[in-house]
Amino acid sequence: MTSIFRDDLFSGRVALVTGGGTGIGLGIAEALARHGADLAIVSRKAENVGPSADRIAGATGRRCLALTADVRQPEAVEAAVDQIVAELGGLEIVVNNAAGNFYCPSGELSPNGFGTVIDIDAKGTWNVSRAAYRARMKDHGGQILNISATLHHGGTPGQVHVAAAKAAVDAMTRTLAVEWGSLGIRVNAIAPGPIAETEGARRLFSGERADRLQRMIPTRRLGTIDDIVSLALFVLSEAASNINGAVIVSDGGLSLTGRFGIEP
Ligand code: COA
């Protein structure tokens, strides 16, 4: 993708992207590096971040750490944040992108299945935001960008666990934006609709379901990773310095139709 943004937009900044080794997280991580940031990508699986970090560093000339930590474990998150600040010299941008999802009708979902997604999406977002705040942002300001969703804006069958978790992410976005705004910390969220070629797409819609979804989307196309990357760069840039506590939808207008394409 040819970027409309300045090459040095994020130079001198240090970023952390959770789930930054694949999909939307990788897209955002690579774009931040291409626009001057040094960064760390974090995943619970080393194989998800090692090769991606090497590729980002090789392609951009920026520093890119590959860190292994499960966002569900506060101590592991705090250690990763401390390592980033020590090795890269700061932490101005956090992108809470790590998430878990699977389709499961509510009556068949186990307590642990529900709790696992709450732990990854909601508690994980909190663990990383809290660690970044305490280690760096409370004294130096910064930005937190949460990757939310649209499936909880209405009701989406088979997604009760994810809907509850993403609603919590949106609530945290607004609450922390208000509480930390005076410290120079902006907290926002992007709510992607269906995005093609992601793990979420593979799990929730593919084949005939993707075709049907495409016909339901007012713009008649699925979203792309580049759509979300461009929006993330804008929200994290100074051009958006008055945007705080916003949950910005990028879904071609699908959520206005009241349907996500998964039928009961
Ligand atoms: N349907 C119903 N329940 C499921 C399920 C499915 N497809 N997949 C997992 N679960 C349940 C498990 O049965 C388990 O509950 P139980 O102990 O009552 O049996 C619980 O969820 C935890 O599963 P487990 O596989 O131990 O969790 P994990 O921590 O290894 O993996 C997940 C987390 C389940 C979210 C896994 O799908 C994952 O790692 N996802 C990351 C990638 C991803 O989801 N990307 C898309 C983001 S949009």
Side-chain angles (χ1 to χ4, degrees):
M1 180 183 68
T2 307
S3 175
I4 65 164
F5 299 97
R6 260 187 8 237
D7 287 348
D8 65 346
L9 198 58
F10 298 107
S11 70
R13 313 265 187 95
V14 173
L16 156 61
V17 183
T18 66
T22 56
I24 290 172
L26 174 59
I28 294 173
E30 186 163 2
L32 287 170
R34 285 195 185 281
H35 292 82
D38 290 327
L39 73 162
I41 57 177
V42 180
S43 168
R44 78 179 150 139
K45 294 183 189 153
E47 66 268 24
N48 278 354
V49 280
S52 295
D54 290 345
R55 202 168 57 73
I56 290 172
T60 65
R62 305 310 314 178
R63 297 191 64 192
C64 186
L65 307 180
L67 302 182
T68 307
D70 189 330
V71 295
R72 291 172 283 192
Q73 295 171 353
E75 297 79 15
V77 168
E78 284 162 25
V81 165
D82 288 346
Q83 187 179 341
I84 292 165
V85 174
E87 287 193 32
L88 300 180
L91 182 56
E92 284 76 33
I93 294 169
V94 164
V95 181
N96 283 307
N97 166 77
N101 198 355
F102 50 82
Y103 173 84
C104 184
S106 301
E108 293 164 26
L109 183 64
S110 72
N112 191 38
F114 186 90
T116 296
V117 172
I118 296 285
D119 284 349
I120 299 171
D121 294 23
K123 289 192 197 171
T125 294
W126 166 242
N127 290 337
V128 177
S129 302
R130 176 182 184 276
Y133 173 84
R134 289 165 68 97
R136 185 74 185 176
M137 289 188 179
K138 67 179 165 54
D139 296 320
H140 298 87
Q143 293 197 58
I144 297 173
L145 179 62
N146 299 325
I147 305 302
S148 185
T150 56
L151 45 80
H152 57 297
H153 296 179
T156 306
Q159 291 287 280
V160 69
H161 43 324
V162 185
K166 294 298 192 181
V169 168
D170 291 358
M172 267 186 277
T173 301
R174 290 188 274 265
T175 304
L176 298 181
V178 170
E179 193 174 328
W180 294 347
S182 66
L183 302 174
I185 303 171
R186 285 198 293 124
V187 187
N188 290 295
I190 291 175
I195 304 297
E197 290 170 16
T198 59
E199 176 65 14
R202 192 183 65 71
R203 288 168 182 245
L204 296 183
F205 58 89
S206 54
E208 165 53 25
R209 193 180 260 171
D211 294 342
R212 200 175 60 234
L213 200 46
Q214 190 159 327
R215 289 194 295 276
M216 287 162 48
I217 296 173
T219 52
R220 296 293 185 271
R221 70 171 180 88
L222 296 170
T224 65
I225 290 176
D226 284 347
D227 289 328
I228 305 306
V229 168
S230 302
L231 180 55
L233 295 184
F234 166 69
V235 174
L236 293 169
S237 78
E238 288 306 305
S241 60
N242 198 37
I243 297 179
N244 187 33
V247 179
I248 304 171
V249 173
S250 175
D251 72 345
L254 177 62
S255 51
L256 299 175
T257 72
R259 297 152 77 194
F260 192 79
I262 299 176
E263 292 165 1

